Amino acid sequence: MKKNHWDLVGIVGGIAVVIIAIIAVIIAGGRNSIYIAIAMLLVFGGMGYFLYKFLWQPKFNIRRLQAEGISGRAKILEVHETNITVNQNPQFRLVMEIKNSVGQVYTTACKTIVSRHLKTVSFQPGKEVSVKIDPKNEKNVIVDGS
């Protein structure tokens, strides 16, 4: 059974509604309504850009890395709270030391949502965690929750 990607449905639907609204404004208002249509395009286009950049792009990156990422281990060097919570679980920024497949050691950071119960046990400096590393950009890393 194929999984529905409702994020993409929402993006395409939102773009279609904005285009229809702009066409309706131009048809209903005549020549002078072009300025309203341009303003609508700028406002809704800007909102769409920020929604994509800060909401959907990170989700798409996580999905891609879960499917295509190279498994690895990372040592946590620092743990910082971001003051963001999802379902009462805090988000943390982890600074980690990773050893790549060639044996080189480098430092990178990622953000992850951590269960309040696991924070005290698993996500402390010095602990090792499983990660997925982007084969195209080794600095792009996510904590592997599987």
Side-chain angles (χ1 to χ4, degrees), residues 80-99:
H80 303 280
E81 285 196 47
T82 62
N83 294 323
I84 295 172
T85 60
V86 176
N87 295 332
Q88 304 285 323
N89 294 314
Q91 180 186 55
F92 289 97
R93 180 177 178 273
L94 305 175
V95 178
M96 302 177 293
E97 182 179 83
I98 298 174
K99 189 174 189 178

Side-chain angles (χ1 to χ4, degrees), residues 17-56:
V17 166
V18 169
I19 290 171
I20 291 168
I22 289 171
I23 292 170
V25 165
I26 292 172
I27 291 172
R31 288 182 186 236
N32 293 333
S33 65
I34 192 73
Y35 300 113
I36 295 171
I38 291 171
M40 287 175 60
L41 185 63
L42 291 174
V43 168
F44 291 116
M47 287 172 47
Y49 171 77
F50 283 110
L51 280 172
Y52 176 77
K53 188 73 177 163
F54 297 109
L55 181 66
W56 288 310

